[in-house]
Amino acid sequence: VLIGAGLIGVACARRVSAGKHLVVADLNEATAKSVAKDLYNAGFETSSIKADLSSRESILNVIKEAKKYGNITNVINAAGVSPSQAPIKKILEVDLYGTSMLLEEFGKVISEGGSCIVISSQSGPRLGALTQEENELLALTPTDELLKLDMLKEENVKNTLTAYQLAKRCNVLRVASEAVK
């Protein structure tokens, strides 16, 4: 499954999808269809679906679609918004909550030995040190409670870059936390 049909995600999908059915999911349905068609024409078995990373229902629909083709063995999350594309709230909903929820939901269904690639950014490490408590909150807070954390309330995040950096730091911590499950 590829969530986010941009160039980086497609490049990753080309490396791990040979001989497998690839479900291409993107917020822009036309983009998902176009990328799926291009990959099909390059020899891959593909299908497409519209998906909103910030919506649990949408991600569950992607999982349902992917299961039609067999076991889910690989997931690539390349979806997200940047500090220049969206306000603080949207960045946190998509990049932070969405990625955390995707890891949680796919973690329930991915095959033994499967893998999930989360494309992040150098922005996570550029945030600067957080306290041990803040790191633990980002790593371990139940997904549906994340956006209720004081440190992530819109009034406590100074700008879109900080929101993006917090989201990317959270991605790293959530991948580590979910990987052991």
Side-chain angles (χ1 to χ4, degrees), residues 146-179:
L146 271 171
L147 296 178
K148 297 175 186 170
L149 293 173
D150 282 338
M151 67 184 288
L152 298 177
K153 288 185 179 170
E154 197 169 352
E155 62 269 14
N156 295 331
V157 179
K158 60 183 173 180
N159 55 45
T160 59
L161 178 58
T162 302
Y164 187 73
Q165 290 172 328
L166 283 164
K168 298 309 176 179
R169 176 69 58 83
C170 184
N171 293 169
V172 170
L173 294 167
R174 294 307 267 218
V175 164
S177 176
E178 290 293 329

PDB file of all heavy atoms in Angstrom, residues 146-179:
ATOM      1  N   LEU A 146      -3.851  12.164  21.242  1.00  0.00           N
ATOM      2  CA  LEU A 146      -2.654  12.957  20.911  1.00  0.00           C
ATOM      3  C   LEU A 146      -2.936  14.447  20.751  1.00  0.00           C
ATOM      4  O   LEU A 146      -2.239  15.281  21.324  1.00  0.00           O
ATOM      5  CB  LEU A 146      -2.017  12.440  19.607  1.00  0.00           C
ATOM      6  CG  LEU A 146      -0.994  11.352  19.736  1.00  0.00           C
ATOM      7  CD1 LEU A 146      -0.624  10.804  18.363  1.00  0.00           C
ATOM      8  CD2 LEU A 146       0.235  11.837  20.480  1.00  0.00           C
ATOM      9  N   LEU A 147      -3.924  14.789  19.962  1.00  0.00           N
ATOM     10  CA  LEU A 147      -4.172  16.206  19.676  1.00  0.00           C
ATOM     11  C   LEU A 147      -4.743  16.962  20.869  1.00  0.00           C
ATOM     12  O   LEU A 147      -4.878  18.182  20.818  1.00  0.00           O
ATOM     13  CB  LEU A 147      -5.077  16.349  18.453  1.00  0.00           C
ATOM     14  CG  LEU A 147      -4.464  15.826  17.154  1.00  0.00           C
ATOM     15  CD1 LEU A 147      -5.442  15.970  15.994  1.00  0.00           C
ATOM     16  CD2 LEU A 147      -3.148  16.527  16.833  1.00  0.00           C
ATOM     17  N   LYS A 148      -5.027  16.247  21.949  1.00  0.00           N
ATOM     18  CA  LYS A 148      -5.507  16.886  23.185  1.00  0.00           C
ATOM     19  C   LYS A 148      -4.358  17.241  24.124  1.00  0.00           C
ATOM     20  O   LYS A 148      -4.569  17.908  25.137  1.00  0.00           O
ATOM     21  CB  LYS A 148      -6.498  15.974  23.900  1.00  0.00           C
ATOM     22  CG  LYS A 148      -7.758  15.711  23.089  1.00  0.00           C
ATOM     23  CD  LYS A 148      -8.641  14.700  23.785  1.00  0.00           C
ATOM     24  CE  LYS A 148      -9.816  14.339  22.888  1.00  0.00           C
ATOM     25  NZ  LYS A 148     -10.582  13.199  23.414  1.00  0.00           N
ATOM     26  N   LEU A 149      -3.138  16.789  23.798  1.00  0.00           N
ATOM     27  CA  LEU A 149      -1.983  17.113  24.637  1.00  0.00           C
ATOM     28  C   LEU A 149      -1.770  18.623  24.674  1.00  0.00           C
ATOM     29  O   LEU A 149      -1.855  19.293  23.639  1.00  0.00           O
ATOM     30  CB  LEU A 149      -0.720  16.440  24.100  1.00  0.00           C
ATOM     31  CG  LEU A 149      -0.644  14.920  24.168  1.00  0.00           C
ATOM     32  CD1 LEU A 149       0.609  14.421  23.444  1.00  0.00           C
ATOM     33  CD2 LEU A 149      -0.682  14.442  25.613  1.00  0.00           C
ATOM     34  N   ASP A 150      -1.452  19.155  25.854  1.00  0.00           N
ATOM     35  CA  ASP A 150      -1.205  20.598  25.974  1.00  0.00           C
ATOM     36  C   ASP A 150      -0.134  21.068  25.004  1.00  0.00           C
ATOM     37  O   ASP A 150      -0.269  22.120  24.387  1.00  0.00           O
ATOM     38  CB  ASP A 150      -0.797  20.968  27.409  1.00  0.00           C
ATOM     39  CG  ASP A 150      -1.982  21.022  28.354  1.00  0.00           C
ATOM     40  OD1 ASP A 150      -3.131  21.184  27.883  1.00  0.00           O
ATOM     41  OD2 ASP A 150      -1.766  20.895  29.573  1.00  0.00           O
ATOM     42  N   MET A 151       0.925  20.282  24.863  1.00  0.00           N
ATOM     43  CA  MET A 151       2.037  20.699  24.006  1.00  0.00           C
ATOM     44  C   MET A 151       1.635  20.786  22.527  1.00  0.00           C
ATOM     45  O   MET A 151       2.331  21.412  21.737  1.00  0.00           O
ATOM     46  CB  MET A 151       3.237  19.765  24.174  1.00  0.00           C
ATOM     47  CG  MET A 151       3.002  18.356  23.658  1.00  0.00           C
ATOM     48  SD  MET A 151       4.377  17.233  23.969  1.00  0.00           S
ATOM     49  CE  MET A 151       5.596  17.806  22.820  1.00  0.00           C
ATOM     50  N   LEU A 152       0.503  20.167  22.156  1.00  0.00           N
ATOM     51  CA  LEU A 152       0.063  20.175  20.759  1.00  0.00           C
ATOM     52  C   LEU A 152      -1.165  21.047  20.525  1.00  0.00           C
ATOM     53  O   LEU A 152      -1.657  21.124  19.396  1.00  0.00           O
ATOM     54  CB  LEU A 152      -0.209  18.746  20.283  1.00  0.00           C
ATOM     55  CG  LEU A 152       0.997  17.820  20.292  1.00  0.00           C
ATOM     56  CD1 LEU A 152       0.591  16.413  19.880  1.00  0.00           C
ATOM     57  CD2 LEU A 152       2.109  18.355  19.403  1.00  0.00           C
ATOM     58  N   LYS A 153      -1.646  21.693  21.557  1.00  0.00           N
ATOM     59  CA  LYS A 153      -2.777  22.611  21.369  1.00  0.00           C
ATOM     60  C   LYS A 153      -2.303  23.783  20.520  1.00  0.00           C
ATOM     61  O   LYS A 153      -1.194  24.287  20.691  1.00  0.00           O
ATOM     62  CB  LYS A 153      -3.332  23.070  22.704  1.00  0.00           C
ATOM     63  CG  LYS A 153      -4.078  21.957  23.416  1.00  0.00           C
ATOM     64  CD  LYS A 153      -4.729  22.433  24.678  1.00  0.00           C
ATOM     65  CE  LYS A 153      -5.485  21.275  25.311  1.00  0.00           C
ATOM     66  NZ  LYS A 153      -5.956  21.587  26.634  1.00  0.00           N
ATOM     67  N   GLU A 154      -3.165  24.187  19.601  1.00  0.00           N
ATOM     68  CA  GLU A 154      -2.790  25.207  18.618  1.00  0.00           C
ATOM     69  C   GLU A 154      -2.208  26.460  19.268  1.00  0.00           C
ATOM     70  O   GLU A 154      -1.228  27.029  18.764  1.00  0.00           O
ATOM     71  CB  GLU A 154      -4.011  25.558  17.763  1.00  0.00           C
ATOM     72  CG  GLU A 154      -3.665  26.268  16.493  1.00  0.00           C
ATOM     73  CD  GLU A 154      -4.837  26.367  15.534  1.00  0.00           C
ATOM     74  OE1 GLU A 154      -5.896  25.749  15.782  1.00  0.00           O
ATOM     75  OE2 GLU A 154      -4.677  27.074  14.528  1.00  0.00           O
ATOM     76  N   GLU A 155      -2.743  26.864  20.393  1.00  0.00           N
ATOM     77  CA  GLU A 155      -2.248  28.082  21.051  1.00  0.00           C
ATOM     78  C   GLU A 155      -0.860  27.889  21.653  1.00  0.00           C
ATOM     79  O   GLU A 155      -0.167  28.873  21.960  1.00  0.00           O
ATOM     80  CB  GLU A 155      -3.240  28.582  22.119  1.00  0.00           C
ATOM     81  CG  GLU A 155      -3.482  27.624  23.266  1.00  0.00           C
ATOM     82  CD  GLU A 155      -4.638  26.655  23.048  1.00  0.00           C
ATOM     83  OE1 GLU A 155      -5.126  26.505  21.910  1.00  0.00           O
ATOM     84  OE2 GLU A 155      -5.041  26.025  24.039  1.00  0.00           O
ATOM     85  N   ASN A 156      -0.412  26.645  21.804  1.00  0.00           N
ATOM     86  CA  ASN A 156       0.913  26.367  22.363  1.00  0.00           C
ATOM     87  C   ASN A 156       1.972  26.048  21.313  1.00  0.00           C
ATOM     88  O   ASN A 156       3.127  25.817  21.644  1.00  0.00           O
ATOM     89  CB  ASN A 156       0.823  25.219  23.373  1.00  0.00           C
ATOM     90  CG  ASN A 156      -0.016  25.594  24.567  1.00  0.00           C
ATOM     91  OD1 ASN A 156      -0.091  26.751  24.939  1.00  0.00           O
ATOM     92  ND2 ASN A 156      -0.666  24.619  25.160  1.00  0.00           N
ATOM     93  N   VAL A 157       1.565  26.024  20.056  1.00  0.00           N
ATOM     94  CA  VAL A 157       2.494  25.769  18.953  1.00  0.00           C
ATOM     95  C   VAL A 157       2.682  27.099  18.233  1.00  0.00           C
ATOM     96  O   VAL A 157       1.731  27.659  17.692  1.00  0.00           O
ATOM     97  CB  VAL A 157       1.934  24.685  18.000  1.00  0.00           C
ATOM     98  CG1 VAL A 157       2.888  24.451  16.842  1.00  0.00           C
ATOM     99  CG2 VAL A 157       1.670  23.395  18.754  1.00  0.00           C
ATOM    100  N   LYS A 158       3.935  27.598  18.216  1.00  0.00           N
ATOM    101  CA  LYS A 158       4.125  28.986  17.795  1.00  0.00           C
ATOM    102  C   LYS A 158       3.934  29.264  16.311  1.00  0.00           C
ATOM    103  O   LYS A 158       3.561  30.358  15.946  1.00  0.00           O
ATOM    104  CB  LYS A 158       5.461  29.533  18.286  1.00  0.00           C
ATOM    105  CG  LYS A 158       6.692  28.811  17.819  1.00  0.00           C
ATOM    106  CD  LYS A 158       7.938  29.440  18.449  1.00  0.00           C
ATOM    107  CE  LYS A 158       9.156  28.624  18.130  1.00  0.00           C
ATOM    108  NZ  LYS A 158      10.357  29.170  18.707  1.00  0.00           N
ATOM    109  N   ASN A 159       4.164  28.282  15.442  1.00  0.00           N
ATOM    110  CA  ASN A 159       3.999  28.531  14.005  1.00  0.00           C
ATOM    111  C   ASN A 159       3.922  27.203  13.250  1.00  0.00           C
ATOM    112  O   ASN A 159       4.063  26.134  13.840  1.00  0.00           O
ATOM    113  CB  ASN A 159       5.140  29.417  13.461  1.00  0.00           C
ATOM    114  CG  ASN A 159       6.513  28.840  13.753  1.00  0.00           C
ATOM    115  OD1 ASN A 159       6.757  27.642  13.581  1.00  0.00           O
ATOM    116  ND2 ASN A 159       7.434  29.683  14.212  1.00  0.00           N
ATOM    117  N   THR A 160       3.725  27.292  11.949  1.00  0.00           N
ATOM    118  CA  THR A 160       3.570  26.075  11.147  1.00  0.00           C
ATOM    119  C   THR A 160       4.852  25.243  11.096  1.00  0.00           C
ATOM    120  O   THR A 160       4.784  24.017  11.040  1.00  0.00           O
ATOM    121  CB  THR A 160       3.095  26.387   9.720  1.00  0.00           C
ATOM    122  OG1 THR A 160       4.042  27.263   9.085  1.00  0.00           O
ATOM    123  CG2 THR A 160       1.712  27.025   9.710  1.00  0.00           C
ATOM    124  N   LEU A 161       6.003  25.881  11.126  1.00  0.00           N
ATOM    125  CA  LEU A 161       7.250  25.125  11.124  1.00  0.00           C
ATOM    126  C   LEU A 161       7.380  24.300  12.407  1.00  0.00           C
ATOM    127  O   LEU A 161       7.745  23.125  12.362  1.00  0.00           O
ATOM    128  CB  LEU A 161       8.464  26.039  10.956  1.00  0.00           C
ATOM    129  CG  LEU A 161       9.827  25.331  10.990  1.00  0.00           C
ATOM    130  CD1 LEU A 161       9.925  24.256   9.901  1.00  0.00           C
ATOM    131  CD2 LEU A 161      10.964  26.335  10.863  1.00  0.00           C
ATOM    132  N   THR A 162       7.056  24.896  13.529  1.00  0.00           N
ATOM    133  CA  THR A 162       7.111  24.161  14.793  1.00  0.00           C
ATOM    134  C   THR A 162       6.112  23.002  14.778  1.00  0.00           C
ATOM    135  O   THR A 162       6.425  21.899  15.235  1.00  0.00           O
ATOM    136  CB  THR A 162       6.835  25.102  15.983  1.00  0.00           C
ATOM    137  OG1 THR A 162       7.800  26.155  15.966  1.00  0.00           O
ATOM    138  CG2 THR A 162       6.918  24.361  17.311  1.00  0.00           C
ATOM    139  N   ALA A 163       4.924  23.238  14.250  1.00  0.00           N
ATOM    140  CA  ALA A 163       3.924  22.165  14.141  1.00  0.00           C
ATOM    141  C   ALA A 163       4.478  21.019  13.300  1.00  0.00           C
ATOM    142  O   ALA A 163       4.348  19.840  13.662  1.00  0.00           O
ATOM    143  CB  ALA A 163       2.631  22.693  13.530  1.00  0.00           C
ATOM    144  N   TYR A 164       5.098  21.351  12.199  1.00  0.00           N
ATOM    145  CA  TYR A 164       5.678  20.354  11.302  1.00  0.00           C
ATOM    146  C   TYR A 164       6.802  19.589  11.999  1.00  0.00           C
ATOM    147  O   TYR A 164       6.888  18.364  11.921  1.00  0.00           O
ATOM    148  CB  TYR A 164       6.181  21.053  10.044  1.00  0.00           C
ATOM    149  CG  TYR A 164       6.657  20.147   8.952  1.00  0.00           C
ATOM    150  CD1 TYR A 164       5.762  19.416   8.182  1.00  0.00           C
ATOM    151  CD2 TYR A 164       8.013  20.036   8.657  1.00  0.00           C
ATOM    152  CE1 TYR A 164       6.194  18.599   7.161  1.00  0.00           C
ATOM    153  CE2 TYR A 164       8.457  19.222   7.634  1.00  0.00           C
ATOM    154  CZ  TYR A 164       7.542  18.506   6.888  1.00  0.00           C
ATOM    155  OH  TYR A 164       7.982  17.690   5.865  1.00  0.00           O
ATOM    156  N   GLN A 165       7.667  20.313  12.710  1.00  0.00           N
ATOM    157  CA  GLN A 165       8.767  19.670  13.420  1.00  0.00           C
ATOM    158  C   GLN A 165       8.253  18.751  14.520  1.00  0.00           C
ATOM    159  O   GLN A 165       8.765  17.645  14.703  1.00  0.00           O
ATOM    160  CB  GLN A 165       9.710  20.730  13.999  1.00  0.00           C
ATOM    161  CG  GLN A 165      10.496  21.463  12.926  1.00  0.00           C
ATOM    162  CD  GLN A 165      11.288  22.629  13.476  1.00  0.00           C
ATOM    163  OE1 GLN A 165      10.878  23.286  14.436  1.00  0.00           O
ATOM    164  NE2 GLN A 165      12.426  22.901  12.864  1.00  0.00           N
ATOM    165  N   LEU A 166       7.230  19.174  15.240  1.00  0.00           N
ATOM    166  CA  LEU A 166       6.625  18.321  16.263  1.00  0.00           C
ATOM    167  C   LEU A 166       6.021  17.064  15.635  1.00  0.00           C
ATOM    168  O   LEU A 166       6.166  15.961  16.168  1.00  0.00           O
ATOM    169  CB  LEU A 166       5.556  19.087  17.043  1.00  0.00           C
ATOM    170  CG  LEU A 166       6.065  20.065  18.093  1.00  0.00           C
ATOM    171  CD1 LEU A 166       4.956  21.032  18.508  1.00  0.00           C
ATOM    172  CD2 LEU A 166       6.610  19.308  19.304  1.00  0.00           C
ATOM    173  N   ALA A 167       5.362  17.245  14.503  1.00  0.00           N
ATOM    174  CA  ALA A 167       4.760  16.103  13.813  1.00  0.00           C
ATOM    175  C   ALA A 167       5.829  15.106  13.386  1.00  0.00           C
ATOM    176  O   ALA A 167       5.679  13.894  13.575  1.00  0.00           O
ATOM    177  CB  ALA A 167       3.954  16.578  12.603  1.00  0.00           C
ATOM    178  N   LYS A 168       6.903  15.585  12.828  1.00  0.00           N
ATOM    179  CA  LYS A 168       7.952  14.695  12.346  1.00  0.00           C
ATOM    180  C   LYS A 168       8.705  14.033  13.499  1.00  0.00           C
ATOM    181  O   LYS A 168       9.117  12.881  13.398  1.00  0.00           O
ATOM    182  CB  LYS A 168       8.909  15.441  11.408  1.00  0.00           C
ATOM    183  CG  LYS A 168       8.211  15.965  10.160  1.00  0.00           C
ATOM    184  CD  LYS A 168       7.406  14.889   9.460  1.00  0.00           C
ATOM    185  CE  LYS A 168       6.625  15.402   8.287  1.00  0.00           C
ATOM    186  NZ  LYS A 168       5.865  14.364   7.598  1.00  0.00           N
ATOM    187  N   ARG A 169       8.875  14.742  14.613  1.00  0.00           N
ATOM    188  CA  ARG A 169       9.468  14.116  15.801  1.00  0.00           C
ATOM    189  C   ARG A 169       8.539  13.010  16.302  1.00  0.00           C
ATOM    190  O   ARG A 169       8.973  11.918  16.642  1.00  0.00           O
ATOM    191  CB  ARG A 169       9.684  15.160  16.890  1.00  0.00           C
ATOM    192  CG  ARG A 169      10.212  14.616  18.217  1.00  0.00           C
ATOM    193  CD  ARG A 169      11.653  14.120  18.153  1.00  0.00           C
ATOM    194  NE  ARG A 169      12.560  15.141  17.718  1.00  0.00           N
ATOM    195  CZ  ARG A 169      13.091  16.080  18.494  1.00  0.00           C
ATOM    196  NH1 ARG A 169      12.839  16.098  19.785  1.00  0.00           N
ATOM    197  NH2 ARG A 169      13.901  16.991  17.982  1.00  0.00           N
ATOM    198  N   CYS A 170       7.258  13.301  16.332  1.00  0.00           N
ATOM    199  CA  CYS A 170       6.281  12.307  16.762  1.00  0.00           C
ATOM    200  C   CYS A 170       6.323  11.087  15.843  1.00  0.00           C
ATOM    201  O   CYS A 170       6.256   9.947  16.317  1.00  0.00           O
ATOM    202  CB  CYS A 170       4.881  12.914  16.781  1.00  0.00           C
ATOM    203  SG  CYS A 170       3.602  11.797  17.397  1.00  0.00           S
ATOM    204  N   ASN A 171       6.472  11.294  14.543  1.00  0.00           N
ATOM    205  CA  ASN A 171       6.552  10.177  13.597  1.00  0.00           C
ATOM    206  C   ASN A 171       7.684   9.232  13.967  1.00  0.00           C
ATOM    207  O   ASN A 171       7.502   8.007  14.001  1.00  0.00           O
ATOM    208  CB  ASN A 171       6.763  10.664  12.163  1.00  0.00           C
ATOM    209  CG  ASN A 171       5.608  11.427  11.559  1.00  0.00           C
ATOM    210  OD1 ASN A 171       5.750  12.029  10.513  1.00  0.00           O
ATOM    211  ND2 ASN A 171       4.455  11.416  12.198  1.00  0.00           N
ATOM    212  N   VAL A 172       8.842   9.772  14.259  1.00  0.00           N
ATOM    213  CA  VAL A 172      10.000   8.950  14.620  1.00  0.00           C
ATOM    214  C   VAL A 172       9.706   8.161  15.899  1.00  0.00           C
ATOM    215  O   VAL A 172       9.962   6.953  15.970  1.00  0.00           O
ATOM    216  CB  VAL A 172      11.260   9.834  14.805  1.00  0.00           C
ATOM    217  CG1 VAL A 172      12.407   9.042  15.413  1.00  0.00           C
ATOM    218  CG2 VAL A 172      11.673  10.451  13.475  1.00  0.00           C
ATOM    219  N   LEU A 173       9.150   8.832  16.884  1.00  0.00           N
ATOM    220  CA  LEU A 173       8.853   8.180  18.155  1.00  0.00           C
ATOM    221  C   LEU A 173       7.755   7.120  18.006  1.00  0.00           C
ATOM    222  O   LEU A 173       7.839   6.054  18.619  1.00  0.00           O
ATOM    223  CB  LEU A 173       8.458   9.228  19.196  1.00  0.00           C
ATOM    224  CG  LEU A 173       9.573  10.199  19.590  1.00  0.00           C
ATOM    225  CD1 LEU A 173       9.003  11.380  20.368  1.00  0.00           C
ATOM    226  CD2 LEU A 173      10.654   9.487  20.382  1.00  0.00           C
ATOM    227  N   ARG A 174       6.747   7.399  17.198  1.00  0.00           N
ATOM    228  CA  ARG A 174       5.647   6.437  17.011  1.00  0.00           C
ATOM    229  C   ARG A 174       6.120   5.206  16.228  1.00  0.00           C
ATOM    230  O   ARG A 174       5.696   4.096  16.522  1.00  0.00           O
ATOM    231  CB  ARG A 174       4.470   7.086  16.293  1.00  0.00           C
ATOM    232  CG  ARG A 174       3.745   8.184  17.065  1.00  0.00           C
ATOM    233  CD  ARG A 174       3.307   7.755  18.422  1.00  0.00           C
ATOM    234  NE  ARG A 174       1.966   7.250  18.461  1.00  0.00           N
ATOM    235  CZ  ARG A 174       1.111   7.475  19.446  1.00  0.00           C
ATOM    236  NH1 ARG A 174       1.437   8.234  20.481  1.00  0.00           N
ATOM    237  NH2 ARG A 174      -0.074   6.935  19.437  1.00  0.00           N
ATOM    238  N   VAL A 175       6.968   5.421  15.232  1.00  0.00           N
ATOM    239  CA  VAL A 175       7.506   4.274  14.491  1.00  0.00           C
ATOM    240  C   VAL A 175       8.253   3.356  15.461  1.00  0.00           C
ATOM    241  O   VAL A 175       8.061   2.141  15.457  1.00  0.00           O
ATOM    242  CB  VAL A 175       8.407   4.725  13.319  1.00  0.00           C
ATOM    243  CG1 VAL A 175       9.252   3.580  12.804  1.00  0.00           C
ATOM    244  CG2 VAL A 175       7.564   5.327  12.204  1.00  0.00           C
ATOM    245  N   ALA A 176       9.088   3.936  16.307  1.00  0.00           N
ATOM    246  CA  ALA A 176       9.829   3.128  17.279  1.00  0.00           C
ATOM    247  C   ALA A 176       8.884   2.413  18.235  1.00  0.00           C
ATOM    248  O   ALA A 176       9.062   1.222  18.518  1.00  0.00           O
ATOM    249  CB  ALA A 176      10.805   4.011  18.054  1.00  0.00           C
ATOM    250  N   SER A 177       7.876   3.108  18.687  1.00  0.00           N
ATOM    251  CA  SER A 177       6.916   2.520  19.626  1.00  0.00           C
ATOM    252  C   SER A 177       6.094   1.411  18.981  1.00  0.00           C
ATOM    253  O   SER A 177       5.904   0.347  19.565  1.00  0.00           O
ATOM    254  CB  SER A 177       5.994   3.628  20.156  1.00  0.00           C
ATOM    255  OG  SER A 177       5.001   3.095  20.992  1.00  0.00           O
ATOM    256  N   GLU A 178       5.615   1.649  17.773  1.00  0.00           N
ATOM    257  CA  GLU A 178       4.786   0.659  17.091  1.00  0.00           C
ATOM    258  C   GLU A 178       5.597  -0.539  16.593  1.00  0.00           C
ATOM    259  O   GLU A 178       5.065  -1.648  16.513  1.00  0.00           O
ATOM    260  CB  GLU A 178       4.033   1.300  15.916  1.00  0.00           C
ATOM    261  CG  GLU A 178       2.937   2.269  16.338  1.00  0.00           C
ATOM    262  CD  GLU A 178       1.764   1.606  17.043  1.00  0.00           C
ATOM    263  OE1 GLU A 178       1.454   0.436  16.754  1.00  0.00           O
ATOM    264  OE2 GLU A 178       1.144   2.272  17.902  1.00  0.00           O
ATOM    265  N   ALA A 179       6.851  -0.331  16.285  1.00  0.00           N
ATOM    266  CA  ALA A 179       7.683  -1.399  15.738  1.00  0.00           C
ATOM    267  C   ALA A 179       7.793  -2.589  16.691  1.00  0.00           C
ATOM    268  O   ALA A 179       7.833  -3.731  16.264  1.00  0.00           O
ATOM    269  CB  ALA A 179       9.073  -0.881  15.373  1.00  0.00           C
TER     270      ALA A 179
END
